[in-house]
Amino acid sequence: MGEKILVIGAGAIGAFYGGVLAKAGCEVSAVARSDFDAVTAGGYRIESHLGDLSWRPAQVVRSAADYKGPADFLFVCVKLTAQTDPVALMRPAVGKDTAIVFVANGIDIDAPVAAAFPDNELVSGVAYAAVSREGGVIKHHSQYTRLVLGRYPGGLSARATRLAELIKQGGSSSVATEDIVGARWQKCAWNTVLNPVSALGGGLGTQDMLASDATTGFVHEAIEEFAAIAAAAGHPIPADTADKLIAGTRKLPNYVSSMGQDQLAGRPMETEALLGNVVRIARRHGVPATRLETLYALLKMAEQRSAS
Amino acid sequence: MGEKILVIGAGAIGAFYGGVLAKAGCEVSAVARSDFDAVTAGGYRIESHLGDLSWRPAQVVRSAADYKGPADFLFVCVKLTAQTDPVALMRPAVGKDTAIVFVANGIDIDAPVAAAFPDNELVSGVAYAAVSREGGVIKHHSQYTRLVLGRYPGGLSARATRLAELIKQGGSSSVATEDIVGARWQKCAWNTVLNPVSALGGGLGTQDMLASDATTGFVHEAIEEFAAIAAAAGHPIPADTADKLIAGTRKLPNYVSSMGQDQLAGRPMETEALLGNVVRIARRHGVPATRLETLYALLKMAEQRSAS
């Protein structure tokens, strides 16, 4: 067996990469909570154009404290809501030489993890992958699938390079970067704007948001605000990002974002990770962000309703 | 019998004022559509702290074309959605001396009616009344209930004064004003901001919107935008409007606005009357209105979803 890896947060994305890493010969285990019995009995079933990625974890545990380590990598794939404390989830399994791979959505989300484990290498990950869970089966939809990995807060990393290599061995695409924070900003240009819009429209699909010049114009302006904040934070994104994202989105099916689905279902949303942190960075740098501020205020109200 | 009045759009507000005017001795009729049979059989049942305002229309008709007039007043109480054409609804009952009383929510909504009936007096109405329909019974909740009436686009009006007199005779409060357009701006400071916010948050109650300093701050800033637009349009509202509205709203129960209820139920919303027209006036005058523009773009997307 190769590297010992523990997947924490084995939702669709975590289970998918668990399968890829198992295929690459790693000894992959998983923390499973609500589906502990099903995973113990049958492992994870994954349907993908890459072939059958179904896998059985070496260990299925109810919490990281039950894992027999140490792990070479923790592969942490959690949704960052107000209800989630990723540091607490991973702490029991963080050994002396464990690298923490933090694959989550958002801006300014790595710092608390880095502060909690200052002696461990933190590899931050940005995943581009359309994967969903449908009745016990994980379905991998997207042709373009890529995991960008890099040491937080920046620079070269042998561990990030090794993990990218393993994912490629497992048949998927991955790349190590020296600027993972820049990669986060790049990815969030879409998520920070379109996920909240989808939620606030009552679970809007991608095409609903671009149905008229007026609404497309708003999306464009909001992405431009985001770009100005990224530049002020020292992580400029390409000048044509808004145009490219809108053109790319037009080619997608009328897909409801995860945040849109969360709002429809009354589930917690990644409000702070995706949007609140960006708004606070804008304030800190004095960058005007009225559109994003408005989205943020509305999302906070929507959360209030769900909570009441 | 006194004045002949035809109520068009006898929802909760229309039926309530029909009852008040019937009590004042007017010959009040009503256009009823979905509830034609029920109204024909039993009239309108109205529960109010003002006493029993239940009434039977002199004529119950399925459309204004069936009304045996002419009416002295058309009392038009419609929700202005993209699906509603108030001019078409009232046209068949507009006689030579009929005054049109247009009690609707919104800004810049009277001009099409005035243009369609240039030889009739148009009395525009702004209603403050918490009335709802619950299973065939109209319930009048609010202690503070007032109908502000005035000739459109402005000035003194004997017909408006007469109607206000009749409503007072019927036991409710009403006043004639020389500046009804200003009264519309005053009323909409709340509706233009808080109705869309309620809808976009997924049917937020009044208290949900003011649950934190951040969200209250947003509401305050959006009302300030509205106030600047009102001033540019020549209808300034008092400088402390935002503070007063927020303080007043805190005293209300956690009430979900009509637009919030419409969004939850997937019904058409008064998007253009309440918000789109205000945004267009801001653009015309070059007044910054990014918060209202954002609310408008989001509402247009939400409508798109409902339509698809």
Side-chain angles (χ1 to χ4, degrees), chain A residues 88-101:
Chain A
L89 286 175
M90 63 180 90
R91 186 182 298 282
V94 178
K96 192 171 147 295
D97 292 317
T98 302
I100 298 166
V101 186

Side-chain angles (χ1 to χ4, degrees), chain A residues 94-163:
Chain A
V94 178
K96 192 171 147 295
D97 292 317
T98 302
I100 298 166
V101 186
F102 192 51
V103 182
N105 259 330
I107 294 292
D108 224 7
I109 57 178
D110 304 281
V113 181
F117 307 106
D119 301 325
N120 290 80
E121 180 159 344
L122 174 55
V123 176
S124 186
V126 176
Y128 293 86
V131 195
S132 64
R133 193 160 196 163
E134 295 167 23
V137 181
I138 287 144
K139 300 200 175 179
H140 174 217
H141 309 280
S142 52
Q143 294 294 322
Y144 179 79
T145 304
R146 171 173 259 213
L147 182 62
V148 184
L149 296 165
R151 179 207 289 268
Y152 178 84
L156 279 173
S157 156
R159 307 295 290 269
T161 305
R162 172 67 185 153
L163 192 65

Side-chain angles (χ1 to χ4, degrees), chain A residues 301, chain B residues 193-194 209-210 215-224 246:
Chain A
M301 296 184 205
Chain B
V193 172
L194 289 165
M209 299 189 264
L210 304 177
T215 61
T216 303
F218 169 76
V219 168
H220 196 281
E221 289 161 0
I223 295 174
E224 292 286 323
I246 288 169

Side-chain angles (χ1 to χ4, degrees), chain A residues 77-97:
Chain A
C77 242
V78 291
K79 209 176 123 184
L80 298 176
T81 70
Q83 280 70 36
T84 309
D85 180 350
V87 167
L89 286 175
M90 63 180 90
R91 186 182 298 282
V94 178
K96 192 171 147 295
D97 292 317

Side-chain angles (χ1 to χ4, degrees), chain B residues 182-220:
Chain B
R184 280 209 178 286
W185 280 97
Q186 184 81 47
K187 165 94 188 277
C188 281
W190 202 96
N191 294 114
T192 292
V193 172
L194 289 165
N195 285 21
V197 167
S198 167
L200 293 168
L204 291 175
T206 39
Q207 302 317 319
D208 299 329
M209 299 189 264
L210 304 177
S212 77
D213 286 351
T215 61
T216 303
F218 169 76
V219 168
H220 196 281

Side-chain angles (χ1 to χ4, degrees), chain A residues 2-6 67 70-74 97-101 159:
Chain A
E3 276 86 347
K4 286 189 74 165
I5 299 178
L6 175 63
Y67 177 67
D72 298 301
F73 293 98
L74 287 190
D97 292 317
T98 302
I100 298 166
V101 186
R159 307 295 290 269

Side-chain angles (χ1 to χ4, degrees), chain A residues 197 200 202 204 294 301 305, chain B residues 197 200 202 204 218 294 301 305:
Chain A
V197 167
L200 293 168
L204 291 176
T294 300
M301 296 184 205
R305 171 175 166 268
Chain B
V197 167
L200 293 168
L204 291 175
F218 169 76
T294 299
M301 294 185 205
R305 171 173 165 270

